Amino acid sequence: MGYDFVSIEKKWQKRWEKEGTFNVEKDSSREKFYCLEMFPYPSGALHMGHLRNYSIGDMLSRHLLMRGKNVLHPMGYDAFGLPAENAAIKFSTHPNKWTWDNIEHMTDQLKRMGCSYDWRRRVETCNPNYYRWTQWLFLQFFKRGLAYRKTAPVNWCESCGTVLANEQVINDGHCWRCSTPVVKKNLEQWFLRITDYAQELLDSLDDLPGWPERVKLMQRNWIGRSEGVRLSFKLEGLQTDIETFTTRVDTIFGVTFLALSPEHPAVEEIAALSPEGARIRKFAAECMDSSERDRTAAGGEKKGIDTGLVAVNPANGEKVPVWIANYILMEYGTGAIMGVPAHDQRDFDFAKKFKIPVRPVITPPGQNILDGESMTVAYEDDGIQCNSGKFDGLSTSEALPAMTEWFAENGWGKREINFRLRDWLISRQRYWGAPIPVIYCDKCGVVPVPEEDLPVELPLEIEMKPGENPLAGADNWKKARCPRCGSEGTRETDTMDTFICSSWYFLRFASPWTEDAPFEKDDTDYWMSVNQYIGGIEHACLHLIYARFFTKFLADLGMLKVREPFRNLLTQGMVIKDGAKMSKSKGNVVDPDEIISRWGADTARLFILFASPPEKDLDWSDQGVEGSHRFLQRVWRLVETNLEGLKKTSSDTVPMSAITENRCRDLKRRIHYTIDRVTRDIQDEKQFNTAVARLMELSNTLGAFSPKSPAEWSLFREGVDTLLVCLTPIAPHICEELWEITGKTTLISLEEWPVIESEALVADTVTIVFQVNGKVREQFELPAGMDPEEMKKEILSRPEVKSRLEGKEILRVIPVPDRLVNVVVKNR
Ligand SMILES: [Zn+2]
Ligand SMILES: [Zn+2]
């Protein structure tokens, strides 16, 4: 019999499925462990990144199951989204059909990997039984004023034909999905008030020691808390004051202009007052058409227009010109800034271009006052105040509180905490998403769909056309009675951002069958939070912030006990090949199906876990895959060649105290050392690659052992059992098969993780003789099997040895392992 992985893998997958081996129920008598990998978008086929993510999660789940935990390990599909619409147009199919076909295909693929999911709990976000609750959650936000509509300059992706949330504008102003530069449009849209949670989202990052620092830092920066002063400038001739926010009120005497964002609501009023009105309007419109990236890139071209109006600096009564500038964005701060070219680089670039004066008010420590005329860059660091009236001579750290206080006393401004985080824009002008459950009525305005009428189902009879929202043309579907007055209204045709669907799916896994709530509190009280979450770092400021926000909101509704969804987070590295990320355009894609067909799922899993620590990039190597396969072949042969003896030997173990022979004591020690290290590598260090390496070592030791007596067979059997049990989370199919072949009737997947015999970990000692020129001088007890160099160092460090060698010239030191150290000294 050879290692026939094809039939072995099929056989055990069937058996696990039939017996419901990994089905799980809540059980308050047992400690739970919730292990979750970020669920995939059903794009059609798994890629290597998926395979890596799920191999890591499956290894952990299986390991903890064997450690006696009640493990929840579910899988589902993030199934709404634009690719389904694009595919539908391209292949003349329906997004619904395309998505469900993909879901079934990818489920088959995942089953071929041998993952230990409780498949009964599968959720699909495009299933009406799921998105009904997504809509219900929207209504809860709406009821509490946390979902609202407003007109705002929003991010628009021309290629996707929809608006985007700020978090979805990445890499300097590009669409997260299709990389098209994003432009601004003024549109009325739906938002969720995530900013209400900004402070808590920031503070509770400190309660997440199990998250990578890098992810927490990215979230902190994204939330972007800053303390400063909100102050208003009076514009001559204008009714309303212009508000600005600054974290550097200490530079107020350096203000030489005021600049407004082209989207600023006062622009129209200013245009009406100004003789340059037409030019101002034209300029503002042009700015809004260009991408955020072009407008804000450091060193990007600064554009502006002088409105001809002047503003009054409250600190000194000085009149400064009012400009409209392309680099000011409406959604950060107040959409207007006090221009301090001497101490802000972008203001400096702007001032230089438009010949606006530069007035330094901060002097670098230990230097002369700067000269605005000759400065070539802004000075943005701390220093000593100058040109600042009564504040001259103060350091930045003294000036900031003093000047803030002075502003407050005079009523010019107030201390304010500001966040970079903006409310979450959640409406999308797309079809394949959860419809926003509201109806517009001419009499009643915006009316929520009553909860009992949910779900508002997506109409399936629609016509897909490029660049259009089919819902907008679905006239029959759009017509709806107003729930409040009964007159004819119109449904909202925007659907929800798919990131809403994924903001609560981890809760649905706890109660996937519940029909009268999104989840049962009993279930989530038991299962939440997720003990280990595994996914890509690209979600740091997207899904991982949104899911935290939802969890906090649901906790505030009393629906959840926890306020954080994910206790521990592991962000796995990418899978690369030939030095680059796998991609079709580079032609370096390895297809998981092909690997599994050719080498088996166990080999694929083993290679993925062995080739690299999980958080590092994994360099795909065909030789590495072959090497992993050879290791499994060796394990197979180890059992095969010793099968008769193994079958005759029971699995009862012999304690260390009953073992006398040295080679047996060594093997016993190796077995328990392996258990100890593999357990720690997996659990504490998440260094699965070294865990695999230690199992390879144990396999080698066993291969060289050749048992002879019944006592040796007993020990050998302990070694083989240990190897198979510890290898199961990594390569489960082959371990099940070998377990069965050696006479076991139970599933190894449900076997208990081996217990360490602490006595077996203690190293034996041997007597080491210390000689000088071949004559015995001292004796020491040292651990057996010490490395010769280590032994030499240890002996030479002993005080007795030092005193015997004092004043002597050492010619050579000869260590003989487990026996002696001889020092040759020069004879006088
Ligand atoms: Zn796009
Ligand atoms: Zn009405």
Side-chain angles (χ1 to χ4, degrees):
M1 77 186 182
Y3 170 34
D4 176 8
F5 58 84
V6 176
S7 57
I8 290 172
E9 293 184 355
K10 219 175 271 167
K11 168 182 164 183
W12 292 102
Q13 284 160 16
K14 247 190 220 155
R15 171 111 180 247
W16 296 329
E17 185 154 3
K18 192 170 138 248
E19 297 188 7
T21 306
F22 305 108
N23 292 352
V24 63
E25 302 300 337
K26 64 175 188 284
D27 175 357
S28 49
S29 68
R30 284 169 71 199
E31 196 186 333
K32 66 95 185 180
F33 192 95
Y34 187 176
C35 183
L36 185 64
E37 299 110 51
M38 288 181 187
F39 67 164
Y41 179 76
S43 55
L46 294 183
H47 55 64
M48 272 303 161
H50 291 130
L51 211 61
R52 186 172 192 201
N53 187 350
Y54 308 145
S55 297
I56 293 168
D58 198 50
M59 167 172 199
L60 269 177
S61 291
R62 287 173 169 274
H63 170 74
L64 286 154
L65 181 66
M66 296 171 93
R67 298 278 301 275
K69 298 277 166 51
N70 196 28
V71 177
L72 175 58
H73 187 212
M75 183 43 77
Y77 296 93
D78 191 9
F80 272 138
L82 193 50
E85 288 180 57
N86 294 340
I89 293 166
K90 196 168 160 193
F91 306 116
S92 310
T93 171
H94 193 287
N96 188 56
K97 178 175 171 17
W98 185 82
T99 302
W100 282 100
D101 286 352
N102 289 347
I103 286 175
E104 294 317 324
H105 176 66
M106 287 170 77
T107 299
D108 285 346
Q109 285 189 301
L110 284 167
K111 288 183 177 169
R112 281 187 76 202
M113 275 184 70
C115 288
S116 61
Y117 299 123
D118 180 350
W119 279 111
R120 301 169 309 155
R121 291 174 185 262
R122 191 179 92 177
V123 303
E124 310 88 11
T125 60
C126 67
N127 192 326
N129 73 14
Y130 182 91
Y131 70 72
R132 168 187 181 183
W133 298 112
T134 305
Q135 293 174 334
W136 184 88
L137 288 167
F138 172 86
L139 293 179
Q140 308 314 306
F141 282 104
F142 183 79
K143 268 191 212 165
R144 286 155 187 84
L146 294 179
Y148 65 94
R149 258 173 97 73
K150 77 165 180 194
T151 303
V154 297
N155 309 299
W156 177 265
C157 174
E158 201 55 60
S159 150
C160 293
T162 183
V163 299
L164 299 170
N166 285 345
E167 289 79 11
Q168 292 155 8
V169 179
I170 59 167
N171 297 335
D172 262 351
H174 290 83
C175 170
W176 70 285
R177 216 191 53 75
C178 72
S179 301
T180 303
V182 168
V183 295
K184 291 285 172 191
K185 272 195 181 181
N186 246 322
L187 291 171
E188 190 174 18
Q189 295 292 314
W190 284 99
F191 293 83
L192 288 192
R193 220 178 281 281
I194 189 173
T195 50
D196 273 15
Y197 287 84
Q199 189 66 52
E200 195 197 336
L201 285 167
L202 183 70
D203 290 343
S204 51
L205 286 172
D206 296 336
D207 307 332
L208 296 173
W211 277 42
E213 278 309 318
R214 189 152 76 110
V215 174
K216 289 194 275 187
L217 183 66
M218 286 164 83
Q219 290 207 355
R220 279 191 193 104
N221 289 340
W222 182 257
I223 296 166
R225 183 185 194 275
S226 54
E227 279 181 41
V229 174
R230 178 185 277 262
L231 60 149
S232 33
F233 285 75
K234 288 209 181 316
L235 257 62
E236 292 191 337
L238 209 65
Q239 293 299 314
T240 42
D241 295 350
I242 299 294
E243 303 234 298
T244 64
F245 172 80
T246 179
T247 57
R248 292 297 303 271
V249 71
D250 56 322
T251 62
I252 186 76
F253 290 94
V255 173
T256 54
F257 65 98
L258 192 74
L260 271 62
S261 148
E263 292 92 352
H264 198 287
V267 166
E268 183 44 47
E269 204 182 333
I270 289 170
L273 275 177
S274 166
E276 296 286 353
R279 275 187 55 224
I280 290 173
R281 288 190 190 98
K282 185 161 169 272
F283 174 77
E286 277 168 12
C287 288
M288 283 189 262
D289 268 349
S290 59
S291 75
E292 181 170 332
R293 177 189 132 96
D294 288 347
R295 286 173 55 181
T296 59
E301 194 193 349
K302 299 283 176 288
K303 294 180 185 167
I305 185 165
D306 189 347
T307 64
L309 302 189
V310 291
V312 183
N313 183 341
N316 56 8
E318 202 172 78
K319 290 178 181 171
V320 295
V322 177
W323 286 71
I324 295 168
N326 68 333
Y327 68 100
I328 317 294
L329 296 178
M330 193 58 215
E331 59 267 49
Y332 298 123
T334 60
I337 59 124
M338 54 182 229
V340 186
H343 304 294
D344 179 281
Q345 189 59 41
R346 294 193 310 173
D347 295 352
F348 183 86
D349 295 342
F350 189 80
K352 282 284 161 188
K353 176 160 177 189
F354 295 105
K355 313 236 170 343
I356 298 169
V358 177
R359 184 194 303 152
V361 292
I362 311 272
T363 305
Q367 291 183 30
N368 291 330
I369 291 180
L370 296 167
D371 171 31
E373 287 285 302
S374 61
M375 280 173 83
T376 53
V377 288
Y379 177 74
E380 296 185 332
D381 285 340
D382 292 359
I384 307 297
Q385 297 292 135
C386 63
N387 297 327
S388 299
K390 60 176 181 173
F391 299 100
D392 281 359
L394 294 186
S395 69
T396 302
S397 58
E398 294 162 339
L400 271 173
M403 293 173 80
T404 303
E405 189 59 41
W406 181 58
F407 262 72
E409 273 170 16
N410 287 288
W412 296 330
K414 56 178 199 297
R415 187 194 308 272
E416 195 176 86
I417 291 163
N418 238 324
F419 292 94
R420 185 174 178 273
L421 184 73
R422 287 288 161 259
D423 279 343
W424 177 10
L425 197 173
I426 57 146
S427 41
R428 296 289 177 274
Q429 291 69 52
R430 305 304 325 168
Y431 165 68
W432 194 235
I436 295 174
V438 300
I439 292 166
Y440 297 99
C441 168
D442 284 344
K443 291 182 203 146
C444 315
V446 179
V447 184
V449 173
E451 288 177 13
E452 59 274 19
D453 291 352
L454 298 180
V456 175
E457 282 202 53
L458 271 181
L460 294 178
E461 303 290 317
I462 41 98
E463 205 183 328
M464 299 296 304
K465 280 190 208 142
E468 269 178 38
N469 178 0
L471 289 182
D475 292 336
N476 284 338
W477 177 82
K478 257 166 48 181
K479 262 186 249 158
R481 291 249 156 255
C482 167
R484 210 162 281 162
C485 73
S487 59
E488 186 145 301
T490 319
R491 287 195 190 283
E492 171 63 86
T493 57
D494 283 356
T495 54
M496 283 186 247
D497 183 2
T498 58
F499 280 94
I500 300 251
C501 309
S502 55
S503 290
W504 71 281
Y505 79 107
F506 44 91
L507 303 169
R508 185 69 183 172
F509 281 136
S511 315
W513 304 287
T514 300
E515 283 181 8
D516 40 12
F519 52 85
E520 302 285 348
K521 186 159 186 297
D522 272 3
D523 293 332
T524 50
D525 279 358
Y526 177 74
W527 288 115
M528 286 298 287
S529 40
V530 173
N531 296 74
Q532 182 67 60
Y533 200 33
I534 306 160
I537 193 148
E538 67 274 15
H539 286 290
C541 293
L542 286 159
H543 164 60
L544 289 169
I545 280 195
Y546 297 145
R548 295 182 62 220
F549 163 50
F550 262 59
T551 303
K552 291 174 191 305
F553 172 68
L554 290 168
D556 283 342
L557 295 191
M559 293 177 67
L560 283 180
K561 206 164 64 174
V562 298
R563 298 192 73 82
E564 282 292 337
F566 315 121
R567 223 22 45 209
N568 297 286
L569 174 67
L570 193 160
T571 49
Q572 90 271 6
M574 287 190 301
V575 182
I576 57 176
K577 187 161 188 267
D578 311 324
K581 188 180 176 180
M582 284 188 184
S583 78
K584 279 195 187 121
S585 59
K586 292 202 184 73
N588 61 350
V589 174
V590 179
D591 175 18
D593 265 347
E594 223 175 275
I595 292 294
I596 292 176
S597 300
R598 176 148 182 225
W599 300 104
D602 282 341
T603 294
R605 296 166 59 120
L606 178 79
F607 167 71
I608 285 170
L609 294 168
F610 179 50
S612 156
E615 69 284 357
K616 295 264 159 45
D617 285 349
L618 184 157
D619 204 347
W620 190 269
S621 124
D622 296 334
Q623 293 90 327
V625 176
E626 283 180 54
S628 296
H629 192 69
R630 276 199 304 274
F631 168 65
L632 293 181
Q633 295 270 21
R634 280 201 301 278
V635 173
W636 184 270
R637 276 199 307 276
L638 178 72
V639 173
E640 195 179 35
T641 49
N642 294 291
L643 194 53
E644 285 317 303
L646 283 169
K647 273 179 164 170
K648 272 187 268 172
T649 311
S650 88
S651 284
D652 299 337
T653 58
V654 181
M656 188 63 150
S657 53
I659 302 173
T660 49
E661 222 184 316
N662 270 344
R663 76 180 206 114
C664 292
R665 291 181 69 83
D666 285 349
L667 177 58
K668 180 85 177 176
R669 198 171 296 118
R670 166 61 66 183
I671 293 168
H672 287 267
Y673 168 83
T674 305
I675 300 168
D676 180 41
R677 295 310 303 258
V678 169
T679 309
R680 284 193 279 148
D681 284 348
I682 295 177
Q683 180 168 302
D684 306 340
E685 319 274 343
K686 309 270 185 307
Q687 297 299 303
F688 311 136
N689 54 325
T690 56
V692 173
R694 294 181 208 289
L695 291 172
M696 289 175 169
E697 284 163 22
L698 175 61
S699 156
N700 289 343
T701 308
L702 289 167
F705 186 72
S706 333
K708 286 169 194 84
S709 65
E712 290 190 355
W713 269 106
S714 173
L715 187 64
F716 183 73
R717 168 112 214 186
E718 185 188 351
V720 170
D721 285 356
T722 302
L723 175 65
L724 294 180
V725 170
C726 292
L727 189 61
T728 296
I730 302 159
H733 311 85
I734 187 174
C735 294
E736 288 282 12
E737 184 71 14
L738 293 176
W739 192 245
E740 186 181 66
I741 287 173
T742 57
K744 303 276 192 178
T745 52
T746 52
L747 286 173
I748 198 169
S749 292
L750 299 177
E751 197 60 24
E752 261 175 54
W753 195 251
V755 178
I756 299 162
E757 234 179 81
S758 48
E759 194 198 345
L761 287 180
V762 181
D764 286 343
T765 60
V766 285
T767 306
I768 305 289
V769 167
F770 167 66
Q771 302 175 334
V772 178
N773 289 346
K775 290 193 185 102
V776 175
R777 295 301 183 206
E778 304 281 346
Q779 290 191 354
F780 300 100
E781 288 295 306
L782 286 186
M786 247 178 135
D787 172 78
E789 281 307 305
E790 220 176 288
M791 185 173 89
K792 192 169 102 181
K793 247 209 262 141
E794 175 63 33
I795 294 289
L796 292 181
S797 73
R798 300 287 170 123
E800 304 92 315
V801 172
K802 276 185 178 164
S803 72
R804 285 200 179 269
L805 294 176
E806 210 175 303
K808 296 201 164 69
E809 191 183 333
I810 299 173
L811 298 174
R812 267 192 308 153
V813 181
I814 306 154
V816 181
D818 286 349
R819 285 187 50 211
L820 60 84
V821 173
N822 183 27
V823 177
V824 182
V825 299
K826 196 171 185 180
N827 283 314
R828 303 225 165 140

